[in-house]
Amino acid sequence: MATRSQRLIVKFGSGILSNPKGNDLDRRQFARLCAEVAALVRAGHECLIVSSGAVAAGMAALGLTERPKQLAARQACAAVGQSRLMGLYSTMFAKHRLHVAQLLLTHSDLDSRTRHANAGNTLEQLFARRNVVPVINENDSVAVEELNFGDNDRLSAEVAQLVHADRLFLLTSVDGVLDAEGRLVSQVRDINEVADFVRQEKGRLSVGGMTTKLQAVKIATDAGIRAQILNGRKPGLLRAALAGKKVGTVFPAKGR
């Protein structure tokens, strides 16, 4: 594992947090992912989670078996599911003697100088506590971008900028960027080189695709933040990535 303390942004996509039907949260996945993040905190790293999953949690509460097509219905699911989502994070991290803090943000919050500063100050205070894991989601009851196509990808990059993170990890349901033949691309220095042949498919339960992830990666790397796409269904990859092992697709920070 990395020898020095780093500030890490870990984004969990809806496809790795939902059950196979996509109509509820996968408790076993939550237990494992939270345990892996807790291990990073114990190792001295500052960790912040950008999490999707509120819609799936709301579907379970409302007895829905399929993701609603109507935007207002998805927003209603998110409104109901957000508290269930945070309740599960709280339960899982409590097993590791860690607290969670919820922040609901929109892109306009980060575009506003005052709200941007306030969010940054709040997160700095939480990091200073050393026993709190901030969990950020888009405020889906009033904002619609992530519900429609982004799956919090761009938000995670903007949050990484906000807190001057060292690393951004995007955990999804694929191994990383795949080339035209379906082979994993282990490192990408120029996103333009892979943008033309990157596969557009996404997991059945995911909202965003690889294109939105590459857009998020560009925001992060242009800001000097190293980014990496990992398969969130495979155990131990966060630790392996910090140890310098070849996992997923790495995007070095610009100028480094």
Side-chain angles (χ1 to χ4, degrees), residues 176-234:
V177 174
L178 305 179
D179 65 17
E181 283 72 45
R183 296 170 299 193
L184 179 67
V185 180
S186 60
Q187 181 170 284
V188 176
R189 290 193 174 274
D190 184 354
I191 291 176
N192 293 325
E193 293 180 357
V194 298
D196 289 339
F197 66 70
V198 68
R199 294 189 169 193
Q200 298 302 315
E201 76 269 11
K202 58 188 178 184
R204 182 175 62 84
L205 307 178
S206 300
V207 178
M210 190 56 69
T211 296
T212 62
K213 288 171 180 57
L214 291 180
Q215 292 168 350
V217 163
K218 187 175 190 309
I219 292 172
T221 54
D222 284 352
I225 301 165
R226 180 183 176 94
Q228 197 159 357
I229 298 175
L230 301 171
N231 190 327
R233 288 284 177 180
K234 295 184 177 180

Side-chain angles (χ1 to χ4, degrees), residues 94-105:
K95 297 178 181 180
H96 305 279
R97 298 183 180 180
L98 293 173
H99 302 289
V100 295
Q102 172 184 267
L103 283 84
L104 296 178
L105 299 175

